[in-house]
Amino acid sequence: LPSTIVGNVTLANNTELNGFNIQGGVTGTNVLGVSLTNNRISSSPGDAIHLTSSIVGMNNLLITNPSQRGIRLDDS
């Protein structure tokens, strides 16, 4: 079973978020070299994933029950 993160995740440059069950949202602003792979994102209080001015690779994501959008991209 994947490790569980309860709460929001803020991305940083040159990181990989792989194989987590995230009970919250994922955000990133001005981040580069980031990879989101094999994650389950559920019950986020806002957008499940919100990226602003970022370059992020995404693969094999399961998003369930966000209170707003699944993925929001602003200049990304």
Side-chain angles (χ1 to χ4, degrees), residues 3 15 19 26-27 30 40 45 47 53 58 61:
S3 297
T15 56
V26 176
T27 61
N30 298 318
R40 186 178 323 158
D47 300 319
S53 300
M58 293 184 265
L61 302 174

Side-chain angles (χ1 to χ4, degrees), residues 13-62:
N13 286 331
N14 303 313
T15 56
E16 180 177 0
L17 188 63
N18 185 349
F20 288 94
N21 178 17
I22 302 164
Q23 296 173 358
V26 176
T27 61
T29 302
N30 298 318
V31 293
L32 303 170
V34 176
S35 175
L36 300 176
T37 308
N38 302 316
N39 295 297
R40 186 178 323 158
I41 304 167
S42 60
S43 304
S44 59
D47 300 319
I49 299 172
H50 184 183
L51 302 171
T52 303
S53 300
S54 299
I55 298 175
V56 175
M58 293 184 265
N59 187 32
N60 197 28
L61 302 174
L62 175 63

